[in-house]
């Protein structure tokens, strides 16, 4: 990349979407002598409400690992959202008229 951009909080738009990184980086391929990682995380920096990081899944085959940062209030609401759980649960039928 000729001119990489470093994003700071002044660029943060609570109603926008920012995409970065690369799906070609093998997050689970890093072995520091303890074996293959069980999970990967982005670290504690820039954790803002609604931030989501997606990684190629540990199991491969097109799987995806997701890391989501939410305030306690928003997390509590998400835990009670039946439409969300139907969408992300394996084998669960999609809510009628939603897909």
């Amino acid at each position: 990349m000729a001119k990489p951009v470093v994003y700071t909080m002044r660029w943060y738009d609570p109603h926008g979407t920012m995409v970065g990184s690369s799906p070609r980086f093998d997050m689970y391929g890093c072995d520091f002598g303890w074996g293959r990682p069980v999970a990967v995380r982005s670290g504690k920096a820039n954790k803002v409400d609604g931030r989501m990081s997606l990684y190629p899944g540990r199991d491969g085959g097109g799987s995806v690992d997701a890391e989501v940062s939410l305030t306690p209030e928003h997390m509590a609401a998400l835990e009670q959202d039946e439409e969300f759980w139907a969408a992300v649960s394996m084998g669960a039928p999609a809510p009628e008229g939603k897909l």
Side-chain angles (χ1 to χ4, degrees):
M1 180 178 238
K3 293 186 177 184
V5 176
V6 175
Y7 294 101
T8 63
M9 289 307 288
R10 66 185 169 89
W11 290 54
Y12 177 69
D13 175 2
H15 304 291
T17 301
M18 185 184 318
V19 178
S21 195
S22 171
R24 291 170 289 201
F25 181 73
D26 185 6
M27 299 290 286
Y28 288 100
C30 298
D31 184 345
F32 299 101
W34 303 306
R36 190 168 178 224
V38 174
V40 295
R41 301 290 180 264
S42 64
K44 68 179 192 174
N46 300 320
K47 297 295 187 200
V48 294
D49 187 41
R51 181 170 189 259
M52 180 185 302
S53 299
L54 301 174
Y55 309 105
R58 182 178 195 273
D59 298 331
S63 64
V64 177
D65 290 347
E67 175 185 13
V68 181
S69 298
L70 297 173
T71 61
E73 297 81 18
H74 290 147
M75 185 65 195
L78 184 63
E79 289 173 342
Q80 301 302 315
D81 188 325
E82 292 180 18
E83 184 177 338
F84 169 77
W85 287 111
V88 299
S89 299
M90 292 187 62
E96 204 167 306
K98 297 294 180 182
L99 292 180

